[in-house]
Amino acid sequence: MDRTLRRMADEIVELHDGTEDLVLVGIQRRGVQLASRIARLIAEREGEAPRLGALDITLYRDDLQTIGPRPVVGPTDIPGDIDGARVVIVDDVLYTGRTVRAALDELADFGRPARIGLAVLIDRGGRELPIHADVVGKRVELRRDQRVDVLVAELDGADSVVVVPKTAPPSDAGRAAGGGRSKKSPARRSAAGEASA
Amino acid sequence: MTRPLVLRGGRIIDPSQNLDVAGDVVVIDGKIVHAGPRGGVPDGAEIVDCTDAIVSPGFIDVHCHLREPGREDVETIATGARAAAAGGFTAVCAMPNTDPVTDNQAAVGFVVRQGQKANSARVYPIGAISVRQEGHALAEVGEMVGAGAVAISDDGRPVASAQLMRTALEYARTFTIPVVDHCEEPTLAVGGAMNEGIVSARLGLRGVPTEAEEIMVIRDILLGRRTGGHIHIAHVSAKGSVELIRWGKDRGIAVTAEVCPHHLSLTENAVEGYDTNAKMNPPLRTAEDVAVLGEAVRDGTIDVIATDHAPHHYDEKEREFADAPNGIVGFETALAVVVTSLVGPRIVDFATLVERMSVAPARIFHLPGGSLARGRPADITVFDPAREWVVDPAQFLSKGRNTPYAGRKLRGRAICTVVGGRIVYHIAAQEH
Amino acid sequence: MTSPLGKDLLALEPLTPEQIGLILDTAEPFKEISERAIKKVPTLRGSTIVNLFFEPSTRTRVSFEFAEKRLSADTVNVAASGSSVSKGETLVDTARNLEAMRIDMVVMRHGASGAAQFLAQRIESNVINAGDGTHEHPTQGLLDLLTLRDHFGDLRGLRVCIVGDVLHSRVARSNIWGLQKMGADVAVCGPRSLLPNAIAEFGITVFDRVEAAMEWAQALNVLRLQLERMTAGYIPSLREYNRVFGVTRERLERADHDILILHPGPMNRGVEIDSDVADGPHSVILNQVTNGVAIRMAVLYLLAGGRPELAETAKSTPGGER
């Protein structure tokens, strides 16, 4: 996974002509860890780290009414002002595109970036909306009855990408929903790299 | 002229004669001619099969509210009398807190006539103690008694003035009638919706402490001692009151007391969920109170079981708890509640049940009935002590449906009620 | 019903510690939304919520309104009059009318204990109790818990004393249940004429003097002296109340440790609490107000759970389709 992330980091910097005004925003949950790693890789290469943020899109989902029990809402932390900034949304898997749509809606409530790009570790096709990733780690072809889960060391102990049947339980052994937020939480908290398990 | 009647093959329990024997009760011309082991059957007699049933002197309810005149939408004397008969009662005493209040000769006469027209359980009026039950001026007791009143009471309200209670007790002596008091110290009870205790604290409802009852009970007993009048304590709810009544009786004071079936079977926990069908005055109290009251029924400190049947309209009870009126219906569940809660657990036997529901009421209120002795009026209750049934208010003969027992399975049911030798209720007719 | 709280939030007494914990945890991300420039998320867009207040209240109603609007719901405020007995529509009819208008949620404050449950049993909309008589005020209890948790981290073993007219206080009751369920140590302090007679049976310590309460407590929740609730004089005068039970700076300074001060508001300055305490460094009264909006957003979010029939046809896993 490290190699892929390194390549993605390079592509992001190239796409944006450097790190000026660059903001990486990871989507909860694992997009946050990936964004954090990419930010570190960029810092190694360029000597300057981009700003890092986290976005929880639960409240902007278009399917809240139909999914049953309320999902747990994670923290959102957008550092500083994003007006005129160059934002790159970072997520682990791109599939229907609805998550990204929700993220775009939510970012719009924070300000008006000069441009918003999308970087994903896995693109598995199957788009339901006209959403397109600028930077892709790996493309995968999957059937509708399959699912790809990304696991990261910070939360799951090790890095891996697994393909499972759609109905299989979450590969992170139940930590997908509900875990990972400490009870003692001040109002603002940086999600950068913090293993909040 | 009704046919002779034979109530055949039941278990005859008549404490007035120390009788508990299998046999028949024979009625001719509205009077009892035989109550004992198998007798003969007169010509043309109607026979009622009483196998597995208990045959006793008719139950008498000395405390009920028939709502007529004034609230005929909620109950009339006729519907009330029929509901009482369905509960096995051959006679009821109707409280005067009607609209207008039954505080004069004409009003008492009205109740008597309506009761006669109902042609079911007998209806004896209770007259008010004070004019309009306002607690000031004494009502015309003599006139009311002359028109048929069997007691006086301001029930619905307490007699707040000790002076008035004293006068009433003295004045009533002339007519040898009991003075019935609803014991509630008004300033302690104001705004209260249930018993004061842990449940009221949790539910955020204002409570009425037991002292509100106990203070008036001892007041009335002391006035009874001073005046020699007969004080009858209505609907006792607190164990403290039982102790005070025992104190009074030990000293030979003419105090009698009644308890309602709901205070023998339900506690303040019935109010959980703000069920307005558990709201009554005096309120349901604690398990300890229930236990002491049951024991008092057994040992006779409490003389009588009365229903305090108080029908209310569905809309009136369908309200925020604090705003709902007090009271539940009782005629059609009283017997079953007493059998289930007292006889079943062997706190009381059937002889005591009959004593408390028939013999003692008749004696204390000087009413005909309460005995199956030869020559007595044929007011008889036949009931099945083992029959289980589920309470369904929609089936009540009363217009009132406000009962906390809805849906409960109880044991004990009136099968046949006879008044003056005439069958005024038979369960077969209701079960159609 | 797929909401983890059931259809309604009527009281804290029937909730489990897990449910209370869920509400507190859910409130955390909602705090952040109130810090944004655009204080709005589309979560309850299209939902209709009626604020049905039978008792006047500015702060609670406004707090709920903010919570509702920040979730993009449509809100309607109804200031209804009196009880069923007084003129006007009965509560039953009010309930039925609301249902006929297809309201999604009702937030109700009423003067009769049990009124919220009464309404909830008769309509299908979600009902949130914003205070029923002297029974409970669950969202207030929750925001008090959140404020305490923010400061102390853990509620278990925390010593909290409720000071004032507990007898007539729905805030006190909700606090007592909420704190006990989360493992805190609860005490009350006030004149005995303003404490329920049965209070000791709740498993609560009773302090007769506020000085003793201060020696013991890590936090005080100071109740407003409810002038409007007293039907008779339970205390001789406000002056005496302040002199004997008032939370004053002198008293707090004499305690050997810092004590956190909470108050549900509105305050009677100079009666139950002095201004220099209310505005002082240990007061978290304003935090309570901020947390109030977040708690109410969390409750609305959790109650407006997915419709069961749609949930059955849903295809997504907890992570959601990406």
Side-chain angles (χ1 to χ4, degrees), chain B residues 167-186:
Chain B
T167 309
L169 283 166
E170 285 168 331
Y171 194 75
R173 283 190 69 176
T174 307
F175 309 100
T176 39
I177 53 166
V179 177
V180 183
D181 196 19
H182 166 114
C183 290
E184 182 186 344
E185 202 291 315

PDB file of all heavy atoms in Angstrom, chain B residues 167-186:
ATOM      1  N   THR B 167     -72.524  18.535  65.559  1.00  0.00           N
ATOM      2  CA  THR B 167     -73.967  18.789  65.512  1.00  0.00           C
ATOM      3  C   THR B 167     -74.692  17.685  64.754  1.00  0.00           C
ATOM      4  O   THR B 167     -75.747  17.202  65.188  1.00  0.00           O
ATOM      5  CB  THR B 167     -74.247  20.141  64.837  1.00  0.00           C
ATOM      6  OG1 THR B 167     -73.449  21.145  65.468  1.00  0.00           O
ATOM      7  CG2 THR B 167     -75.715  20.504  64.934  1.00  0.00           C
ATOM      8  N   ALA B 168     -74.103  17.281  63.635  1.00  0.00           N
ATOM      9  CA  ALA B 168     -74.740  16.240  62.827  1.00  0.00           C
ATOM     10  C   ALA B 168     -74.858  14.940  63.620  1.00  0.00           C
ATOM     11  O   ALA B 168     -75.903  14.269  63.599  1.00  0.00           O
ATOM     12  CB  ALA B 168     -73.935  16.013  61.547  1.00  0.00           C
ATOM     13  N   LEU B 169     -73.785  14.591  64.324  1.00  0.00           N
ATOM     14  CA  LEU B 169     -73.817  13.353  65.107  1.00  0.00           C
ATOM     15  C   LEU B 169     -74.873  13.419  66.214  1.00  0.00           C
ATOM     16  O   LEU B 169     -75.592  12.443  66.463  1.00  0.00           O
ATOM     17  CB  LEU B 169     -72.435  13.078  65.713  1.00  0.00           C
ATOM     18  CG  LEU B 169     -71.394  12.523  64.727  1.00  0.00           C
ATOM     19  CD1 LEU B 169     -69.989  12.614  65.315  1.00  0.00           C
ATOM     20  CD2 LEU B 169     -71.720  11.088  64.357  1.00  0.00           C
ATOM     21  N   GLU B 170     -74.962  14.561  66.833  1.00  0.00           N
ATOM     22  CA  GLU B 170     -75.960  14.700  67.903  1.00  0.00           C
ATOM     23  C   GLU B 170     -77.361  14.648  67.330  1.00  0.00           C
ATOM     24  O   GLU B 170     -78.234  13.925  67.815  1.00  0.00           O
ATOM     25  CB  GLU B 170     -75.750  16.034  68.634  1.00  0.00           C
ATOM     26  CG  GLU B 170     -74.546  16.012  69.552  1.00  0.00           C
ATOM     27  CD  GLU B 170     -74.150  17.383  70.071  1.00  0.00           C
ATOM     28  OE1 GLU B 170     -74.393  18.393  69.387  1.00  0.00           O
ATOM     29  OE2 GLU B 170     -73.563  17.436  71.167  1.00  0.00           O
ATOM     30  N   TYR B 171     -77.575  15.412  66.270  1.00  0.00           N
ATOM     31  CA  TYR B 171     -78.916  15.534  65.690  1.00  0.00           C
ATOM     32  C   TYR B 171     -79.376  14.218  65.090  1.00  0.00           C
ATOM     33  O   TYR B 171     -80.559  13.865  65.173  1.00  0.00           O
ATOM     34  CB  TYR B 171     -78.899  16.637  64.624  1.00  0.00           C
ATOM     35  CG  TYR B 171     -80.267  17.075  64.216  1.00  0.00           C
ATOM     36  CD1 TYR B 171     -81.037  17.905  65.061  1.00  0.00           C
ATOM     37  CD2 TYR B 171     -80.822  16.662  63.009  1.00  0.00           C
ATOM     38  CE1 TYR B 171     -82.294  18.295  64.691  1.00  0.00           C
ATOM     39  CE2 TYR B 171     -82.093  17.063  62.640  1.00  0.00           C
ATOM     40  CZ  TYR B 171     -82.831  17.886  63.484  1.00  0.00           C
ATOM     41  OH  TYR B 171     -84.088  18.276  63.121  1.00  0.00           O
ATOM     42  N   ALA B 172     -78.449  13.474  64.515  1.00  0.00           N
ATOM     43  CA  ALA B 172     -78.833  12.225  63.859  1.00  0.00           C
ATOM     44  C   ALA B 172     -79.268  11.166  64.862  1.00  0.00           C
ATOM     45  O   ALA B 172     -79.925  10.186  64.498  1.00  0.00           O
ATOM     46  CB  ALA B 172     -77.666  11.707  63.022  1.00  0.00           C
ATOM     47  N   ARG B 173     -78.908  11.357  66.122  1.00  0.00           N
ATOM     48  CA  ARG B 173     -79.278  10.371  67.137  1.00  0.00           C
ATOM     49  C   ARG B 173     -80.793  10.187  67.212  1.00  0.00           C
ATOM     50  O   ARG B 173     -81.302   9.080  67.445  1.00  0.00           O
ATOM     51  CB  ARG B 173     -78.751  10.766  68.510  1.00  0.00           C
ATOM     52  CG  ARG B 173     -77.275  10.496  68.684  1.00  0.00           C
ATOM     53  CD  ARG B 173     -76.843  10.660  70.118  1.00  0.00           C
ATOM     54  NE  ARG B 173     -77.402   9.601  70.956  1.00  0.00           N
ATOM     55  CZ  ARG B 173     -77.134   9.430  72.241  1.00  0.00           C
ATOM     56  NH1 ARG B 173     -76.303  10.282  72.833  1.00  0.00           N
ATOM     57  NH2 ARG B 173     -77.668   8.450  72.935  1.00  0.00           N
ATOM     58  N   THR B 174     -81.501  11.285  67.007  1.00  0.00           N
ATOM     59  CA  THR B 174     -82.963  11.212  67.070  1.00  0.00           C
ATOM     60  C   THR B 174     -83.503  10.205  66.075  1.00  0.00           C
ATOM     61  O   THR B 174     -84.524   9.549  66.324  1.00  0.00           O
ATOM     62  CB  THR B 174     -83.566  12.591  66.740  1.00  0.00           C
ATOM     63  OG1 THR B 174     -82.974  13.559  67.594  1.00  0.00           O
ATOM     64  CG2 THR B 174     -85.070  12.581  66.875  1.00  0.00           C
ATOM     65  N   PHE B 175     -82.834  10.085  64.972  1.00  0.00           N
ATOM     66  CA  PHE B 175     -83.373   9.268  63.880  1.00  0.00           C
ATOM     67  C   PHE B 175     -82.636   7.942  63.739  1.00  0.00           C
ATOM     68  O   PHE B 175     -82.912   7.169  62.819  1.00  0.00           O
ATOM     69  CB  PHE B 175     -83.289  10.069  62.565  1.00  0.00           C
ATOM     70  CG  PHE B 175     -83.876  11.437  62.704  1.00  0.00           C
ATOM     71  CD1 PHE B 175     -83.058  12.546  62.899  1.00  0.00           C
ATOM     72  CD2 PHE B 175     -85.256  11.618  62.706  1.00  0.00           C
ATOM     73  CE1 PHE B 175     -83.600  13.814  63.070  1.00  0.00           C
ATOM     74  CE2 PHE B 175     -85.800  12.877  62.869  1.00  0.00           C
ATOM     75  CZ  PHE B 175     -84.990  13.975  63.060  1.00  0.00           C
ATOM     76  N   THR B 176     -81.747   7.681  64.685  1.00  0.00           N
ATOM     77  CA  THR B 176     -80.911   6.471  64.687  1.00  0.00           C
ATOM     78  C   THR B 176     -80.414   6.118  63.297  1.00  0.00           C
ATOM     79  O   THR B 176     -80.627   5.009  62.791  1.00  0.00           O
ATOM     80  CB  THR B 176     -81.654   5.248  65.270  1.00  0.00           C
ATOM     81  OG1 THR B 176     -83.015   5.255  64.834  1.00  0.00           O
ATOM     82  CG2 THR B 176     -81.575   5.253  66.763  1.00  0.00           C
ATOM     83  N   ILE B 177     -79.761   7.068  62.690  1.00  0.00           N
ATOM     84  CA  ILE B 177     -79.121   6.789  61.408  1.00  0.00           C
ATOM     85  C   ILE B 177     -77.628   7.058  61.555  1.00  0.00           C
ATOM     86  O   ILE B 177     -77.219   7.870  62.390  1.00  0.00           O
ATOM     87  CB  ILE B 177     -79.669   7.677  60.261  1.00  0.00           C
ATOM     88  CG1 ILE B 177     -79.603   9.162  60.657  1.00  0.00           C
ATOM     89  CG2 ILE B 177     -81.077   7.273  59.888  1.00  0.00           C
ATOM     90  CD1 ILE B 177     -79.805  10.090  59.500  1.00  0.00           C
ATOM     91  N   PRO B 178     -76.804   6.378  60.750  1.00  0.00           N
ATOM     92  CA  PRO B 178     -75.379   6.678  60.816  1.00  0.00           C
ATOM     93  C   PRO B 178     -75.056   7.980  60.070  1.00  0.00           C
ATOM     94  O   PRO B 178     -75.758   8.364  59.129  1.00  0.00           O
ATOM     95  CB  PRO B 178     -74.721   5.484  60.091  1.00  0.00           C
ATOM     96  CG  PRO B 178     -75.802   4.848  59.292  1.00  0.00           C
ATOM     97  CD  PRO B 178     -77.122   5.272  59.837  1.00  0.00           C
ATOM     98  N   VAL B 179     -73.993   8.632  60.528  1.00  0.00           N
ATOM     99  CA  VAL B 179     -73.437   9.772  59.808  1.00  0.00           C
ATOM    100  C   VAL B 179     -72.174   9.259  59.124  1.00  0.00           C
ATOM    101  O   VAL B 179     -71.258   8.758  59.782  1.00  0.00           O
ATOM    102  CB  VAL B 179     -73.081  10.921  60.780  1.00  0.00           C
ATOM    103  CG1 VAL B 179     -72.444  12.070  60.017  1.00  0.00           C
ATOM    104  CG2 VAL B 179     -74.327  11.382  61.524  1.00  0.00           C
ATOM    105  N   VAL B 180     -72.153   9.342  57.812  1.00  0.00           N
ATOM    106  CA  VAL B 180     -71.035   8.787  57.051  1.00  0.00           C
ATOM    107  C   VAL B 180     -70.084   9.918  56.688  1.00  0.00           C
ATOM    108  O   VAL B 180     -70.488  10.905  56.074  1.00  0.00           O
ATOM    109  CB  VAL B 180     -71.544   8.106  55.754  1.00  0.00           C
ATOM    110  CG1 VAL B 180     -70.371   7.478  55.005  1.00  0.00           C
ATOM    111  CG2 VAL B 180     -72.616   7.076  56.085  1.00  0.00           C
ATOM    112  N   ASP B 181     -68.810   9.764  57.064  1.00  0.00           N
ATOM    113  CA  ASP B 181     -67.864  10.828  56.736  1.00  0.00           C
ATOM    114  C   ASP B 181     -66.813  10.378  55.728  1.00  0.00           C
ATOM    115  O   ASP B 181     -66.220   9.302  55.866  1.00  0.00           O
ATOM    116  CB  ASP B 181     -67.175  11.355  57.994  1.00  0.00           C
ATOM    117  CG  ASP B 181     -66.485  12.703  57.762  1.00  0.00           C
ATOM    118  OD1 ASP B 181     -66.826  13.386  56.778  1.00  0.00           O
ATOM    119  OD2 ASP B 181     -65.604  13.073  58.567  1.00  0.00           O
ATOM    120  N   HIS B 182     -66.584  11.212  54.742  1.00  0.00           N
ATOM    121  CA  HIS B 182     -65.461  11.082  53.802  1.00  0.00           C
ATOM    122  C   HIS B 182     -64.298  11.807  54.463  1.00  0.00           C
ATOM    123  O   HIS B 182     -64.257  13.024  54.516  1.00  0.00           O
ATOM    124  CB  HIS B 182     -65.868  11.741  52.479  1.00  0.00           C
ATOM    125  CG  HIS B 182     -64.743  11.992  51.521  1.00  0.00           C
ATOM    126  ND1 HIS B 182     -64.641  11.349  50.315  1.00  0.00           N
ATOM    127  CD2 HIS B 182     -63.676  12.825  51.576  1.00  0.00           C
ATOM    128  CE1 HIS B 182     -63.564  11.787  49.675  1.00  0.00           C
ATOM    129  NE2 HIS B 182     -62.957  12.681  50.405  1.00  0.00           N
ATOM    130  N   CYS B 183     -63.380  11.040  55.020  1.00  0.00           N
ATOM    131  CA  CYS B 183     -62.343  11.620  55.874  1.00  0.00           C
ATOM    132  C   CYS B 183     -61.154  12.138  55.075  1.00  0.00           C
ATOM    133  O   CYS B 183     -60.330  11.366  54.594  1.00  0.00           O
ATOM    134  CB  CYS B 183     -61.870  10.574  56.887  1.00  0.00           C
ATOM    135  SG  CYS B 183     -63.141  10.216  58.112  1.00  0.00           S
ATOM    136  N   GLU B 184     -61.064  13.450  54.995  1.00  0.00           N
ATOM    137  CA  GLU B 184     -60.000  14.048  54.197  1.00  0.00           C
ATOM    138  C   GLU B 184     -59.756  15.454  54.731  1.00  0.00           C
ATOM    139  O   GLU B 184     -60.616  16.316  54.612  1.00  0.00           O
ATOM    140  CB  GLU B 184     -60.452  14.112  52.731  1.00  0.00           C
ATOM    141  CG  GLU B 184     -59.431  14.674  51.781  1.00  0.00           C
ATOM    142  CD  GLU B 184     -59.998  14.846  50.367  1.00  0.00           C
ATOM    143  OE1 GLU B 184     -61.062  14.265  50.074  1.00  0.00           O
ATOM    144  OE2 GLU B 184     -59.388  15.582  49.585  1.00  0.00           O
ATOM    145  N   GLU B 185     -58.609  15.665  55.343  1.00  0.00           N
ATOM    146  CA  GLU B 185     -58.318  17.001  55.854  1.00  0.00           C
ATOM    147  C   GLU B 185     -58.011  17.882  54.656  1.00  0.00           C
ATOM    148  O   GLU B 185     -57.035  17.654  53.948  1.00  0.00           O
ATOM    149  CB  GLU B 185     -57.126  16.925  56.814  1.00  0.00           C
ATOM    150  CG  GLU B 185     -57.029  18.065  57.804  1.00  0.00           C
ATOM    151  CD  GLU B 185     -56.671  19.383  57.137  1.00  0.00           C
ATOM    152  OE1 GLU B 185     -55.756  19.399  56.298  1.00  0.00           O
ATOM    153  OE2 GLU B 185     -57.326  20.397  57.440  1.00  0.00           O
ATOM    154  N   PRO B 186     -58.860  18.896  54.402  1.00  0.00           N
ATOM    155  CA  PRO B 186     -58.767  19.584  53.102  1.00  0.00           C
ATOM    156  C   PRO B 186     -57.437  20.283  52.837  1.00  0.00           C
ATOM    157  O   PRO B 186     -56.946  20.247  51.717  1.00  0.00           O
ATOM    158  CB  PRO B 186     -59.928  20.576  53.132  1.00  0.00           C
ATOM    159  CG  PRO B 186     -60.439  20.587  54.528  1.00  0.00           C
ATOM    160  CD  PRO B 186     -59.975  19.378  55.219  1.00  0.00           C
TER     161      PRO B 186
END
